[in-house]
């Protein structure tokens, strides 16, 4: 079984290059979303604890099965631990044989940003130049990078309640050719934005973005509201936006639309990717992509990374599954009689 550690992922992605990796990942996501009905899908399984959540995200089609283990504990940074940490597995569906176990904290940031940029490609104004980021924690730089490969961005306006997180973001992005505008609050940050990503972490109903902050039609990529009782967008703004989500059944439980009546329905992103519906800020006004993170996105990144790791001979083969001459003689592992 192939095992990929953080160093392996770093090595692989730096060999391929951020841009190529993001573009390949976006293409892989589009391929998998296009095969929507071929997947066996369920909302993720969540274990809620005080101030956090631990989730299992399984999905499969005829060929591959994947799951991700991920947490969301917004108070973790106070103990110098990350808010979001993840690992994941890819297996063969027909036999159940595990193929790969991988780190997924980095891969989650890549796949979330790729998914955000992929959706924006269809939904946001084509000539978007100003990106606003509200929340400059672990996900933020990845968000900028992915958007920068799809749009000709000229400015990033950003705000975080933590000045240290803003300084960290500014330092990390200062080497790229983009105007950086730190803002004193979310209101100032949203002015003039073409695209607004909200990626804050707090397990409560927050109103990070409100209707009075929006002065022109804008594309909102909401990724931080992703758990029951954890939202970022004021209800009035959710109500007045055209909404697109990943998987309606899961989004109703976890997304911004948990604030709307139970029978609320909206477009799912696969319908847009397949060209069955055309929705864009230019034709529909302000759009909210109510993204909570869906297992298919983890499937896509695991599938891609597995193929790339094999091609580039990266990772370690480890014996986590018994290799037996007589497959009914598991006991032979203990008797050293596996001949
Ligand atoms: N939709 C998805 O697929 C997906 C994937 C990964 C993470 N997430 C979510 O995205 C969010 C960000 O994740 P992260 O890993 O960057 O977390 P993080 O803890 O590293 O960063 C979150 C940042 O939000 C800031 N913040 C909190 N409340 C704020 C407010 N009211 N205004 C401005 N800033 C505020 C914090 O100071 C922190 O710097 C989390 O809620 C996480 O659950 C979603």
């Amino acid at each position: 079984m192939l095992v990929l550690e953080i160093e392996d992922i770093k090595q692989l992605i730096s060999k391929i290059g951020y841009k190529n990796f993001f573009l390949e990942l976006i293409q892989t996501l589009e391929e998998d979303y296009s095969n929507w009905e071929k997947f066996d899908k369920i909302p993720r399984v969540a274990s809620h604890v005080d101030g956090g959540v631990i989730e299992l995200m399984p999905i499969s089609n005829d060929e591959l099965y994947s799951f991700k283990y991920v947490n969301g504990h917004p108070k973790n940074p106070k103990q110098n631990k990350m808010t979001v940490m993840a690992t994941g597995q890819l297996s063969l569906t027909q036999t159940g044989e595990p193929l790969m176990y991988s780190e997924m904290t980095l891969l989650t940031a890549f796949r979330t940003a790729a998914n955000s940029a992929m959706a924006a490609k269809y939904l946001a104004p084509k000539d978007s130049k100003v990106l606003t980021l509200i929340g400059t924690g672990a996900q933020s730089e990845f968000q900028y990078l992915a958007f920068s490969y799809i749009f000709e961005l000229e400015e990033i306006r950003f705000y975080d309640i933590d000045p240290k997180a803003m300084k960290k973001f500014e330092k990390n992005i200062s080497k790229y050719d983009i105007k950086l505008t730190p803002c004193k609050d979310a209101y100032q940050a949203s002015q003039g934005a073409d695209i607004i990503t909200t990626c804050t972490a707090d397990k409560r109903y927050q109103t990070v973005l409100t209707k009075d902050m929006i002065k022109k039609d804008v594309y909102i990529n909401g990724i931080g509201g992703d758990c029951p009782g954890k939202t970022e967008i004021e209800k009035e703004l959710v109500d007045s936006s055209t909404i697109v989500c990943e998987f309606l059944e899961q989004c109703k439980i976890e997304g911004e639309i948990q604030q709307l009546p139970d029978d609320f329905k909206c477009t799912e992103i696969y319908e847009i990717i397949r060209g069955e519906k055309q929705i864009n800020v230019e034709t529909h006004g302000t759009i909210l992509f109510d993204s909570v993170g869906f297992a298919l996105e983890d499937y896509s990144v695991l599938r891609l990374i597995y193929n790339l790791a094999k091609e580039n001979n990266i990772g370690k083969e480890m014996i986590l599954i018994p290799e037996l001459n007589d497959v009914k003689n598991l006991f032979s592992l203990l008797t050293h009689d596996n001949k």
Side-chain angles (χ1 to χ4, degrees):
M1 181 180 184
L2 184 66
V3 176
L4 295 182
E5 297 181 77
I6 309 249
E7 277 307 314
D8 300 318
I9 302 293
K10 277 169 57 184
Q11 199 188 334
L12 194 54
I13 296 176
S14 65
K15 187 165 177 197
I16 293 158
Y18 294 150
K19 183 172 181 181
N20 287 340
F21 182 67
F22 267 120
L23 295 179
E24 269 196 66
L25 182 49
I26 288 173
Q27 201 186 334
T28 310
L29 284 161
E30 287 174 327
E31 267 169 39
D32 289 334
Y33 268 117
S34 298
N35 287 318
W36 187 246
E37 51 284 284
K38 299 206 173 124
F39 284 93
D40 190 3
K41 305 176 279 293
I42 53 162
R44 58 186 158 198
V45 181
S47 303
H48 296 279
V49 294
D50 237 8
V53 66
I54 296 176
E55 296 163 329
L56 274 181
M57 303 174 67
I59 192 163
S60 61
N61 61 8
D62 277 353
E63 197 192 339
L64 297 168
Y65 172 102
S66 73
F67 74 83
K68 178 167 84 176
Y69 165 98
V70 65
N71 78 306
H73 288 68
K75 291 187 188 134
N76 270 4
K78 287 196 180 115
Q79 302 174 51
N80 205 25
K81 292 183 197 302
M82 295 186 73
T83 298
V84 175
M85 298 172 273
T87 57
Q89 183 171 311
L90 190 67
S91 298
L92 287 173
T93 305
Q94 295 306 322
T95 57
E97 185 185 345
L99 291 177
M100 178 179 79
Y101 195 75
S102 179
E103 91 76 41
M104 282 200 83
T105 308
L106 261 178
L107 290 186
T108 292
F110 275 106
R111 76 70 152 137
T112 304
N115 192 57
S116 294
M118 176 204 70
K121 196 170 83 170
Y122 297 92
L123 304 171
K126 299 278 168 276
D127 63 347
S128 292
K129 300 217 171 334
V130 180
L131 169 69
T132 289
L133 288 174
I134 305 179
T136 54
Q139 308 302 316
S140 57
E141 292 87 356
F142 298 83
Q143 286 283 318
Y144 159 65
L145 279 183
F147 279 110
S148 75
Y149 302 132
I150 301 294
F151 298 97
E152 287 184 21
L153 295 177
E154 291 174 358
E155 181 184 2
I156 313 175
R157 303 175 66 80
F158 61 100
Y159 168 67
D160 194 296
I161 47 170
D162 174 8
K164 260 174 67 191
M166 288 181 68
K167 283 266 173 280
K168 175 261 338 183
F169 178 78
E170 194 163 9
K171 184 163 174 255
N172 284 339
I173 300 301
S174 60
K175 63 171 181 251
Y176 297 96
D177 181 24
I178 181 102
K179 179 180 173 200
L180 285 167
T181 310
C183 297
K184 67 174 172 38
D185 54 27
Y187 183 93
Q188 195 188 64
S190 355
Q191 301 315 299
D194 299 305
I195 298 173
I196 303 177
T197 285
T198 53
C199 49
T200 66
D202 199 349
K203 205 176 177 190
R204 65 190 172 95
Y205 295 106
Q206 293 211 90
T207 45
V208 167
L209 198 64
T210 56
K211 198 168 173 215
D212 67 302
M213 295 181 192
I214 307 299
K215 299 286 191 290
K216 63 167 190 177
D217 292 339
V218 68
Y219 177 67
I220 305 166
N221 174 50
I223 67 166
D226 59 357
C227 207
K230 177 169 177 266
T231 57
E232 297 180 300
I233 320 263
E234 183 191 45
K235 182 170 180 292
E236 283 65 32
L237 180 53
V238 178
D239 254 335
S240 62
S241 306
T242 297
I243 298 173
V244 177
C245 73
E246 291 146 318
F247 177 36
L248 184 59
E249 201 183 326
Q250 180 179 321
C251 193
K252 277 170 133 169
I253 303 168
E254 303 175 349
E256 298 299 330
I257 59 171
Q258 65 185 279
Q259 303 179 69
L260 303 185
D262 241 14
D263 58 354
F264 178 80
K265 287 196 174 50
C266 66
T267 300
E268 291 171 314
I269 192 68
Y270 82 90
E271 299 174 84
I272 310 264
I273 293 168
R274 295 210 296 211
E276 292 162 7
K277 289 191 184 166
Q278 267 98 35
I279 296 181
N280 186 280
V281 168
E282 277 134 12
T283 50
H284 286 69
T286 292
I287 292 177
L288 166 63
F289 180 47
D290 191 2
S291 167
V292 295
F294 179 45
L296 181 138
E297 296 146 30
D298 303 309
Y299 174 102
S300 297
V301 75
L302 286 171
R303 163 166 102 81
L304 175 64
I305 215 86
Y306 179 73
N307 291 333
L308 292 173
K310 284 284 185 194
E311 266 168 45
N312 289 280
N313 210 14
I314 284 176
K316 286 174 207 64
E317 284 296 334
M318 292 178 84
I319 303 177
L320 297 180
I321 303 296
E323 291 169 1
L324 300 171
N325 290 329
D326 175 357
V327 292
K328 295 192 178 177
N329 195 0
L330 178 61
F331 199 68
S332 66
L333 289 179
L334 307 184
T335 56
H336 309 288
D337 194 21
N338 182 30
K339 293 185 188 108

